[in-house]
Amino acid sequence: MWKSLGFSASYAYNGALERLGATVQMESNMRKLFLLATVSLLPGMSLAQYTFSSLLPTVAHDQSFGLAIDGTGQAGYCVDTSFVSRASIWQNTGASLVDLHPSGFFLSQATGCSGTSQVGFGMDSSFSIRALLWSGTAASAVDLTPAGALSAFCTGVSGSEQVGFADFGSGSRAIVWNGTAASFQDITPSGASAATVLCTSGGTQGGWSNITGDNHATIWSGSAVSASDIHPAAYTVSQVSATDGNTHGGFAILGGVERAAFWGTSGFVDLHPAGYQQSAVRGVSSTKQAGYGLDAGGVSHALVWSGTAASVVDLNQFLPIGYTGAQALGMDDNGNIVGVAFGGTSSGQAEAVVWNPVLLYQFIGFLNPINDPAVPESVFKRNATVPLKFKLKDSNGVNVPDVVAIVSLVKLGAVESPVNEELFTGPCDPGVTFDYNSYTQTYHFNMRTSHLQAKKRYRVTATLSNGQTHSVTFSLK
């Protein structure tokens, strides 16, 4: 399910035609700013596990931007060498790029994806902005623009529902579709001068509406009368840019500063990182929020939170050397993040990228006979064989089988000395990989001590295939 606003949050403030005309120039200016900057990390940010991959097209393009993600598919757009923005989708690699740009259009962007559907917008040959729906190919494009609308944008999709906004000459109107232009439903709240839907998930829509003179974060459940103003007190402007149906993310402005915002089960949370000029949430899952921020030096950071400002993790730390900044612009149900990174290519252009979380396990053990934690520290006789055992559980508390785990040993002292594996392996376990016992649901390794030194302390470590480690110390008599 798509969880993210598909284009810059500044779209929420300006007229549709003015916004679209400024898009490529705005991104070009942003790119120049980021290329002049260097990556810096927030002090004290916690380290999470993510892998990074680029969606840089293998065909010639000037830039590419990833805006939305659903499972293994990503949506966004590429700017070709003629500076034409072209709606695009990927399947985790640059080589998998599919160009969705409709024939005869001047420009297009894909802003959302769900299953086999993609949504976005484009400018046709008459300079009209059209809301678009695709099913995987350029030829599949369906024009969702309602009859009588001067312009329309499709910003999100969830299953068979598409959302966005249209201008009928009196300000933007919040729109929900069900696959055709004729299916459109105006869900603008009564009394609102303008409204926009930016995201959808599981029958919940998010965006903003303007009744009081300022844009207020708003959620719907499919109709105008269902609109709920969730604007936080003391803030001037707010917007929902992403939803998972239960929680919502976006931004709220306080003191002129755009601040990452999260509406969770306990209410509103300001996620803005200390010392940052600007931040916003652009994607949510059940436990995470993804977005970006500009630090005090103007460097753009892709960020991910876990419901509090203190939980922020800087995804820039997972960028390969040479990149100068990044933004997270979408997140799927599994916490996979899509966005854009700057400066990584030889030409220094922007490129669509993906961050995938590495699954972390709950490590249970080491188990008897070794004390873990080592209070008191276990003491074994030299020439004994010490069975090392542990369990792994997932986030639901279920035992996890068949993970590759490697054992290593270090002798402790004034100088720590790695122990060669032949000194602690034996006939029962000739290698250094833990075996998994499906009956006991434990990982086990028989550590031989006959070639180790008596009256010395050691630290044994299990290293999992995802890089996660767990250690405990022991002594020999």
Side-chain angles (χ1 to χ4, degrees):
M1 240 171 248
W2 183 61
K3 301 287 194 302
S4 169
L5 168 66
F7 47 93
S8 173
S10 64
Y11 275 73
Y13 299 112
N14 306 313
L17 295 178
E18 293 175 337
R19 293 193 297 262
L20 185 58
T23 302
V24 174
Q25 183 61 48
M26 176 188 68
E27 287 158 350
S28 177
N29 291 339
M30 288 171 61
R31 182 187 68 206
K32 292 175 183 177
L33 170 65
F34 298 140
L35 291 178
L36 292 174
T38 57
V39 174
S40 62
L41 300 181
L42 280 175
M45 276 191 168
S46 61
L47 179 65
Q49 295 288 327
Y50 284 87
T51 60
F52 168 88
S53 57
S54 172
L55 299 179
L56 185 68
T58 54
V59 296
H61 280 85
D62 181 61
Q63 302 178 73
S64 59
F65 294 80
L67 303 180
I69 185 168
D70 177 39
T72 60
Q74 299 85 32
Y77 66 97
C78 295
V79 180
D80 66 19
T81 54
S82 299
F83 304 105
V84 174
S85 173
R86 306 176 70 89
S88 305
I89 53 174
W90 295 265
Q91 293 268 325
N92 283 327
T93 66
S96 67
L97 174 71
V98 175
D99 188 336
L100 297 182
H101 187 64
S103 177
F105 274 56
F106 287 135
L107 58 88
S108 61
Q109 294 185 17
T111 58
C113 54
S114 177
T116 59
S117 297
Q118 304 85 37
V119 297
F121 62 90
M123 178 185 285
D124 67 14
S125 58
S126 62
F127 301 98
S128 176
I129 312 304
R130 318 296 293 181
L132 299 173
L133 168 66
W134 295 270
S135 55
T137 65
S140 69
V142 174
D143 189 339
L144 296 179
T145 306
L150 303 179
S151 62
F153 292 77
C154 200
T155 56
V157 58
S158 176
S160 60
E161 178 181 272
Q162 305 85 41
V163 299
F165 57 97
D167 181 6
F168 294 88
S170 59
S172 64
R173 309 291 294 181
I175 301 296
V176 175
W177 292 273
N178 189 24
T180 66
S183 69
F184 89 94
Q185 180 182 358
D186 187 337
I187 63 170
T188 303
S190 176
S193 60
T196 294
V197 185
L198 300 172
C199 53
T200 178
S201 178
T204 297
Q205 303 83 34
W208 60 264
S209 57
N210 191 320
I211 297 177
T212 64
D214 288 319
N215 295 346
H216 280 197
T218 305
I219 56 172
W220 294 263
S221 55
S223 65
V225 297
S226 70
S228 178
D229 185 333
I230 60 171
H231 179 75
Y235 292 75
T236 55
V237 172
S238 61
Q239 172 179 297
V240 173
S241 306
T243 181
D244 68 356
N246 297 307
T247 65
H248 324 289
F251 67 83
I253 295 178
L254 181 66
V257 176
E258 184 178 296
R259 304 170 69 89
F262 173 59
W263 291 265
T265 55
S266 299
F268 173 76
V269 181
D270 188 327
L271 297 180
H272 186 66
Y276 267 43
Q277 301 179 42
Q278 175 188 354
S279 62
V281 173
R282 293 287 295 272
V284 297
S285 68
S286 60
T287 59
K288 302 290 183 182
Q289 306 83 44
Y292 58 86
L294 289 178
D295 69 16
V299 178
S300 180
H301 296 255
L303 304 174
V304 61
W305 296 265
S306 300
T308 66
S311 67
V312 66
V313 173
D314 188 345
L315 295 176
N316 284 20
Q317 65 190 298
F318 303 105
L319 296 174
I321 294 174
Y323 288 89
T324 56
Q327 293 185 351
L329 300 176
M331 175 183 279
D332 68 13
D333 290 327
N334 297 315
N336 300 298
I337 298 168
V338 71
V340 60
F342 303 91
T345 66
S346 58
S347 58
Q349 308 289 32
E351 60 188 86
V353 297
V354 173
W355 293 269
N356 299 114
V358 176
L359 180 63
L360 296 181
Y361 305 104
Q362 181 185 5
F363 195 104
I364 309 298
F366 293 101
L367 303 174
N368 187 54
I370 195 167
N371 291 336
D372 184 10
V375 184
E377 187 175 79
S378 298
V379 179
F380 299 107
K381 291 182 179 179
R382 186 174 174 270
N383 295 322
T385 296
V386 178
L388 301 174
K389 297 178 289 182
F390 65 87
K391 290 188 175 185
L392 295 179
K393 293 185 181 292
D394 63 17
S395 58
N396 295 317
V398 177
N399 286 302
V400 179
D402 302 324
V403 173
V404 175
I406 302 299
V407 63
S408 59
L409 197 62
V410 171
K411 185 174 70 173
L412 303 178
V415 177
E416 295 188 356
S417 304
V419 178
N420 291 332
E421 62 182 72
E422 62 268 17
L423 297 180
F424 61 86
T425 58
C428 293
D429 288 286
V432 290
T433 303
F434 284 84
D435 290 325
Y436 181 73
N437 186 311
S438 59
Y439 179 75
T440 62
Q441 297 184 314
T442 59
Y443 294 82
H444 60 90
F445 182 89
N446 292 308
M447 180 180 64
R448 190 172 57 153
T449 66
S450 57
H451 295 297
L452 303 182
Q453 295 184 30
K455 300 182 179 180
K456 295 293 183 180
R457 297 178 64 241
Y458 291 86
R459 182 175 64 243
V460 61
T461 299
T463 301
L464 308 184
S465 55
N466 64 358
Q468 192 174 351
T469 63
H470 186 83
S471 301
V472 70
T473 60
F474 66 92
S475 300
L476 293 180
K477 293 180 179 180

